[in-house]
Each structure stands twice: as C-alpha cells, then as structure tokens.
Amino acid sequence: MRAISGLWKFVVACVAVGTTSAYAQNAAPPETHGVALANMDRSVKPGDDFYQYANGDWIKRTELPADRAGVDVFSKLADLSDKRTADLIAEIAKSNPPASSATRKVADLYNSYMDEAAIEAKGLAPLRPHLEEIAAIHDKRELAHALGEGLRADVDALNNGVFHTANLFGLWVAPGFHDSDRYTAYLMQGGLQLPDREYYLSDSESMRKIRAQYQAHIAAMLKLAGFTDTEARAVRIFELEHAIAQSHRSLADSEDIHKADNTWTPADFASKAPGLDWVEYFRGAGLSQQGSFTVWQPEAFRGESALVASTSLETWKDWLAFHLIDAYAGVLPRALADERFAFFGKTLSGTQQQRPRWQRGVFLVNDQLGDVVGQAYAQRYFSPEAKAQAEAMVANLIAAFRKRIEALTWMDPKTKAEAEAKLSTLYVGIGYPETWHDYSSFEVKADDIFGNIWRGHLSDYQREVARLGKQVDRKEWCMTPQTVNAVNLPLQNALNFPAAILQPPFYDPQAPAAANYGAIGTVIGHEISHTFDSEGAAFDSEGRVRNWWTPADLQHFEATTAQLAAQYDTYKPFPDLAINGKQTLGENIADVAGIAAAYDGYRASLSGKTAPTQDGLSGDQQFFLAFGQNWGDKTREAALRQQVMTDGHSPGEYRAATVRNIDAWYAAFKVQPGDKLYLAPAERVRIW
C-alpha cells in the first residue's frame, strides 16, 4: 500500500500518533476557492524556503490543541469526515436496526465503547480468562501454539513499508509476487511494542530516555493488572524486545521487494529458523494446510525463533501477558487506559490528552465495520457528478503520464511498451468500492466491548486466511470512503481515491483549474507515479514481480533515484536526526513524478490559452502554491521524530521542497542561483 500521507491505523488504546490527525487554529480565515492567501508568508523568498512562503502565516497562527500530535491540511477534512461518520452512526442507532444486521452491529459496537461505566464495573474480568490461558502454558511446545494463536493479519507490507505488529510475527494476505491471480501468505517480522527497531537500538539521548520510560510503562501496566515483582518482569520483557529488535531488518531495507522475495515451505522453517516448534505454531495459527509462505525478512525469523529457544518460558509468558494488556488497555478500566496513553500519547508523540471519546468511538467503528458506515457516507456525501469529475481528472493525468513516458529519451521502446501497459491496465477506484466487505461472521454484543474487539480482530484474521489460494479481486479496496487519503496497490495495479479526500481544499469545483491541479492533481499524479517508483517499478502490468526493464534503462533509473535519495539525505529536521533518503525514496519519487505529470495535465487543460490570474498570482504560481499548501503542517517534536524514524513519507516541509526539481517552478517565482533551494539544471532530478 502506498498512501499519500502518514495516516496511522486505529489501535485499541486510541492514541493518535500521526501528524494528519486534526485541525485547529485560533481564527480561521474566510473560505477561499483556490490558493489560501491568508496562509502565505510573503516576507519569505520562495526560492529560499518555499514551504514557509506557502504556509508561514498559517503555521504562525495555528496552535496545537492538547489532544493533537500535529495538524495539517488533511486534518480539517479528517475532522469533518469523523463528524459526518458520527452523525451517521447516531442515525443508524436511532433507526433501531434489526438484530444481527450489519447496521445493528455498528450501533452496538459504538455504544459498547461509549459505555465507560460498564467498562469500569467489569474491571479486569474480561482480561482474566486470557491471562489464565497464558499462565497455564507449561512448555515451549504450548508456547509455540499460543504464539500461533496470536497471529493476526494486522500488517500491510506495502503500507509505507511498515511491518509493526505486537505479535511475534504478522500475516499479510495479498496477491502473490509470482502468481498475482491468487492470494498468498506473507509473513513479517514483529514482536515489538515501540514503533521501530531504532527505538531499541539507537544510542541517541532521546531514544535512551524513551527506553527507560518504556520499561517503567511495562512495569506500571503489569502492576495495574495485578502482577507482582513487576520491575524485574519489566526488565526481562524489555531485554527480550531489545533482542528481537536486533534481529529486525531496517525499514529502508524492508522496502526492497527483491530482498522480500523468499518462498519457504512449512518444512523450511525448522531448518532455516530453528528454535520455534513451527508445526505447533502453524497449527495454532490455523495455517497447517498452507503449502508455502513468502518470508519478508528471513533474518528476523531466524533471530526470533532462536530467542524462543534461548529465552526462559516465564519471560515469554510475561511478554505475552504484557502485550495483551497493552493492546486492550483502551477498553479496560481507566487507570490502564490512562497509563497507556501517558506513554504512547504523551511520551512518544507529545500529545497531552486523549481525543474526545466519541471520536475514538468513530475510529473504532471505522476500523472494525468501516464499510457499513462507508456505504451510507458515499451515498450521502459523494454525488455521481463529483465521481464523474474526479474520473475525468484522473483520465487526464494518466494521459499526461503516458505522454511523459513516450517523450523519454533515455528509455528503450521495449521498456516503454511495458510501462504503457501498466497504465493501460491500471484500475482506478473513485469515491467508493464496487463491492463491500461482508461482516456476517463478526459477532457484536451491546454490552461487551472487550469481546467485540477480540472477536473483530479474530474475524478479520479468519476472513484473510480463508482467502488463501483463491482468485484475487483486483478491484478490491483497502480504504473506506470516509478515509482522507489515497493509495496505490502495486500487486493489484490499482489506485483508490476515497470520497473524503475529493473535496476542498484538495478538489474544489469553484477553484481555478491551476489550483485544483496543484492540489488534488498532484495527489492523483503521486498515486499514479507509485506505479513506477522504486518499489512499483518491480511489478509488471499484472502485478507480478518481474524485471521488465532493459539493463541500460534499469541502470539509468537506479542512478537517477539514487540522486534523489542523496538529495533527501541532506535534509535535517533536527541536528541529530536526518531524513533517510532510502527509506523515503518511493514516496519522494512519487512526489517528483506526480507534480511533473500534474503540471503537464494542468497545461494541457488550458488548450493553449493563458491561465487566468487570481489575486495577482499567475496560473503557474497558483499551481505550485496549491501543491505547497498540501503539505503545511505543525507537529510536536516527539511526533515529528517518530515520523522521521518510522514513516516512508518525508515530513511536509520537505515534500513541499519537491518543486526545486521542476523547471517551471523556477520561472514562475524567478528563482535564481544563490537562492537556498536553487539547483542547477543538471542537478534537478528528472525521473518520469
């Protein structure tokens, strides 16, 4: 999955750790259609800091509310989408839907989460049977079975390169690398509760401090759950996770598809990753009949399996108990929920208080029953006219990209034909999916929030496992209509543009074409470009991993993308922390190519005419400013550090700086040698 922004998956504790989580400012300027002049800081020279020039006054007047890790242009739409979804949930509940219907499940799930008094009254009772099962594990064979039972389909290998899972490993069910017509099983490294291995391994002062606070958090959670000797247990749990982190592959290396292409049969696991009873593990996971797996990071499987053998059974049982408690703290008594937020909210992201409970309830419904509400959302808020307009713009952008491919002087005709085939077969979903998820196997009870979430995750897992070996639905969506984001799915050769992002300020029918192409056009161009980024370029028109490049073309592509990675390596949000150009390469390629294609599409839409000026801005200036204003954000230091370390996307400031690779930007703002962002023509990265 290649999303345009770092939206973070809802977790049970409801901690917002992304920068695209909310919108707040002291006094909002009047509504505008096109470039928001009130957001600009004209005292800044655009050639020195285009990001501040486009967003400086917005940044100055924007204050972060206590429940937000950061705010940006996505946030206003996200808040609007949450409010609309909450209203739809209320309407569903008021309609008294039939028992066991999907809409009744929405109402019961939401209401069970909102009933804080019932949660407090039950105390730890919902948790105890599961803790007792862990305590009853007698040997490493039973441990292997329990670890297998804990496997969940809670990872997406192509979603920003993130493989984080609190379980020992994670399962991803997706089209096969070499048989894209059938779903296969991908296994990913896991076992860590902190966001990434660098939180355990980095020797920086900030990371050492976080590790000490995390260990204290482990002890606090165990104590609240009734455990004794909690400090000693916390030491052992942390030491185990530190050892797991040492075996993990880095995020940057995990994005290399070719390094991930490792097919293991069940028999291979015992010889290639000894230490864990794999037969019992797969039995517990319900995967005993699966004939093969794609193992994304073999070194992690070797290391983690060895740790099962070398680490004491009691430590593993404590690890299992802590991960269970931490995962479900948000629906346990407030003391546990507050402790988890104190660490994951305040310490890791700088957020001072939790979101309003109604909003966390919306996140939960979207996560567990998103398509049920999504159907109502799409029907009410996305008209056929809006869908047709968006489809027309996408078609225009694909045509612009095709022309750019045809005009490439460095690419062989054979490679061009393969690239154009990818465009010809690209599926573009606009607004909402053609089919909706079936939640009939998910049992929801009005008075059992803990059980609802437990059964929801298990139902998701069982649905994914049931798809293994079956025909791939290339038009399947991975986002709901109420999601403010967009995505490229390389294994399906498909794009999703949910309804919630196809509205102002990204797309505004009353705005000039220049602004729309600079805003939503560059978003669309970005997603199309992911088809040909450092990751997408490994897949052919049918979603298979296949080298369709001539050797000379591939060499040119890799050299040019290395130049872009080196450019981003020079950006330092903090004196002790720089952008990782390799980690963010795919997204940076998509930004450069996306803005280039969107600019061509915008110019083509003029049919040779001069774009009208607005508020003294030329058409080209409006286009680039609209792009720059896509990325205006204000983020707490802890959250920004986390983004730099764990996200495949560069922070907004550096995404706005993409313009320095586009020739037309220089002419539009009279950028000259000596300006801080100036790049000589030979140094500007031109990929597609």
Side-chain angles (χ1 to χ4, degrees):
M1 177 188 290
R2 310 297 289 165
I4 62 156
S5 65
L7 291 180
W8 296 79
K9 184 178 176 65
F10 170 85
V11 293
V12 173
C14 308
V15 179
V17 295
T19 61
T20 59
S21 57
Y23 179 90
Q25 58 187 54
N26 287 339
E31 183 180 6
T32 58
H33 301 288
V35 173
L37 300 180
N39 290 358
M40 297 172 61
D41 183 352
R42 294 177 185 262
S43 69
V44 176
K45 193 174 182 181
D48 285 342
D49 191 337
F50 189 66
Y51 174 75
Q52 286 290 332
Y53 176 72
N55 302 290
D57 279 8
W58 178 86
I59 293 170
K60 290 175 186 176
R61 70 172 180 267
T62 297
E63 293 185 359
L64 292 177
D67 64 348
R68 309 298 168 119
V71 299
D72 61 16
V73 72
F74 293 81
S75 306
K76 185 176 182 179
L77 286 187
D79 280 356
L80 175 62
S81 180
D82 291 344
K83 181 62 170 64
R84 287 173 168 176
T85 303
D87 290 344
L88 289 169
I89 292 171
E91 291 179 21
I92 288 170
K94 186 179 290 186
S95 69
N96 192 26
S100 300
S101 65
T103 48
R104 168 54 65 188
K105 292 176 182 180
V106 166
D108 288 347
L109 178 63
Y110 183 80
N111 290 335
S112 68
Y113 179 77
M114 296 300 292
D115 193 349
E116 294 179 83
I119 293 172
E120 291 296 324
K122 289 183 179 181
L124 297 176
L127 187 66
R128 286 198 185 98
H130 303 289
L131 292 177
E132 289 169 358
E133 289 180 3
I134 294 171
I137 296 172
H138 291 110
D139 54 35
K140 294 292 180 74
R141 178 178 174 276
E142 291 182 1
L143 173 65
H145 190 91
L147 290 169
E149 286 184 325
L151 182 64
R152 291 291 179 268
D154 59 353
V155 291
D156 187 326
L158 299 182
N159 180 15
N160 308 334
V162 174
F163 309 90
H164 175 72
T165 173
N167 301 307
L168 187 62
F169 303 115
L171 173 70
W172 183 45
V173 176
F177 274 169
H178 303 288
D179 181 4
S180 60
D181 292 329
R182 303 284 174 182
Y183 290 107
T184 195
Y186 296 83
L187 290 176
M188 261 73 70
Q189 63 191 18
L192 305 180
Q193 200 76 333
L194 292 178
D196 180 71
R197 73 168 196 161
E198 290 306 311
Y199 277 74
Y200 297 86
L201 306 181
S202 171
D203 195 41
S204 70
E205 182 180 352
S206 62
M207 290 299 103
R208 290 198 302 269
K209 183 179 179 181
I210 284 175
R211 287 195 288 270
Q213 292 170 302
Y214 175 53
Q215 192 167 303
H217 166 68
I218 297 172
M221 292 297 280
L222 292 174
K223 186 175 182 179
L224 288 168
F227 284 75
T228 59
D229 197 22
T230 56
E231 291 187 7
R233 292 175 192 261
V235 169
R236 292 192 294 269
I237 291 169
F238 178 80
E239 288 176 347
L240 174 55
E241 291 193 16
H242 182 270
I244 291 172
Q246 289 177 312
S247 74
H248 271 211
R249 182 179 292 179
S250 71
L251 174 56
D253 285 341
S254 287
E255 291 195 336
D256 187 330
I257 293 299
H258 301 291
K259 290 181 180 179
D261 191 5
N262 310 289
T263 301
W264 289 12
T265 66
D268 288 331
F269 284 84
S271 60
K272 294 182 177 180
L276 175 65
D277 185 336
W278 287 102
V279 171
E280 200 61 36
Y281 179 86
F282 288 129
R283 183 178 291 118
L287 293 170
S288 295
Q289 303 305 310
Q290 180 64 20
S292 66
F293 300 84
T294 298
V295 178
W296 206 278
Q297 304 101 344
E299 64 272 36
F301 281 75
R302 286 192 293 271
E304 294 187 57
S305 183
L307 285 169
V308 172
S310 64
T311 304
S312 73
L313 180 63
E314 292 308 310
T315 296
W316 276 109
K317 289 163 67 172
D318 286 343
W319 178 90
L320 281 169
F322 165 67
H323 278 242
L324 174 67
I325 297 161
D326 219 46
Y328 283 83
V331 291
L332 291 171
R334 175 171 290 183
L336 287 107
D338 287 349
E339 168 56 33
R340 191 180 197 280
F341 178 78
F343 178 73
F344 285 95
K346 292 181 181 179
T347 299
L348 285 190
S349 67
T351 311
Q352 297 305 300
Q353 67 184 44
Q354 297 216 53
R355 295 288 194 93
R357 194 166 185 91
W358 71 264
Q359 198 166 36
R360 288 179 275 153
V362 168
F363 297 160
L364 175 60
V365 171
N366 283 339
D367 182 64
Q368 300 274 293
L369 293 165
D371 270 18
V372 181
V373 182
Q375 293 182 63
Y377 187 99
Q379 185 175 16
R380 180 167 301 182
Y381 296 112
F382 197 64
S383 68
E385 293 78 15
K387 184 177 176 70
Q389 291 167 355
E391 288 172 339
M393 181 171 276
V394 171
N396 191 7
L397 267 292
I398 290 176
F401 208 101
R402 189 183 301 277
K403 289 181 180 178
R404 294 190 69 83
I405 292 173
E406 292 170 351
L408 291 175
T409 58
W410 58 268
M411 184 173 279
D412 186 274
K414 292 181 180 179
T415 312
K416 286 185 180 181
E418 292 278 4
E420 290 173 0
K422 290 196 73 173
L423 286 179
S424 297
T425 58
L426 186 67
Y427 168 74
V428 182
I430 299 292
Y432 49 87
E434 297 178 29
T435 58
W436 302 93
H437 281 300
D438 177 10
Y439 300 101
S440 57
S441 66
F442 177 19
E443 181 186 12
V444 178
K445 298 180 180 179
D447 60 351
D448 184 17
I449 182 57
F450 184 101
N452 289 339
I453 295 176
W454 182 278
R455 289 185 294 272
H457 291 162
L458 185 58
S459 175
D460 285 344
Y461 176 76
Q462 292 169 342
R463 180 173 61 240
E464 292 300 305
V465 169
R467 300 202 304 173
L468 290 170
K470 294 184 178 178
Q471 190 77 21
V472 167
D473 178 3
R474 295 187 180 275
K475 296 182 179 180
E476 182 181 22
W477 277 50
C478 69
M479 290 181 170
T480 64
Q482 62 270 32
T483 301
V484 183
N485 211 332
V487 69
N488 180 295
L489 304 166
L491 285 166
Q492 295 171 217
N493 196 27
L495 310 179
N496 295 169
F497 294 101
I501 199 173
L502 297 171
Q503 56 185 322
F506 290 104
Y507 178 70
D508 182 354
Q510 299 182 60
N516 276 330
Y517 274 94
I520 194 63
T522 58
V523 170
I524 295 169
H526 174 102
E527 296 305 337
I528 295 171
S529 300
H530 268 312
T531 306
F532 305 101
D533 70 9
S534 52
E535 189 175 86
F539 298 88
D540 67 13
S541 60
E542 296 182 17
R544 298 171 300 184
V545 173
R546 180 174 67 85
N547 182 12
W548 45 273
W549 298 70
T550 66
D553 288 346
L554 185 59
Q555 183 178 17
H556 177 97
F557 177 76
E558 290 177 343
T560 306
T561 57
Q563 182 185 355
L564 186 64
Q567 183 182 115
Y568 276 79
D569 280 338
T570 66
Y571 298 146
K572 296 189 70 172
F574 304 100
D576 63 336
L577 186 62
I579 303 296
N580 184 328
K582 183 180 177 182
Q583 175 180 306
T584 58
L585 181 57
E587 297 298 330
N588 298 334
I589 292 170
D591 280 344
V592 172
I595 191 174
Y599 180 78
D600 286 358
Y602 147 64
R603 298 296 297 183
S605 74
L606 298 175
S607 301
K609 299 178 182 178
T610 301
T613 60
Q614 180 164 306
D615 299 314
L617 298 171
S618 69
D620 278 18
Q621 288 174 328
Q622 293 173 60
F623 173 87
F624 288 111
L625 279 166
F627 170 78
Q629 290 187 344
N630 274 0
W631 306 116
D633 68 45
K634 193 165 187 175
T635 309
R636 300 184 192 277
E637 178 179 337
L640 183 56
R641 284 182 176 273
Q642 184 173 160
Q643 181 185 358
V644 172
M645 294 176 67
T646 66
D647 199 340
H649 302 82
S650 301
E653 175 179 356
Y654 307 104
R655 300 189 74 169
T658 303
V659 294
R660 66 197 304 229
N661 294 295
I662 308 297
D663 293 340
W665 173 72
Y666 289 82
F669 294 97
K670 298 181 172 58
V671 179
Q672 301 294 326
D675 292 345
K676 293 178 181 178
L677 291 178
Y678 179 85
L679 290 173
E683 296 174 339
R684 298 169 197 170
V685 178
R686 313 167 201 272
I687 301 173
W688 292 101

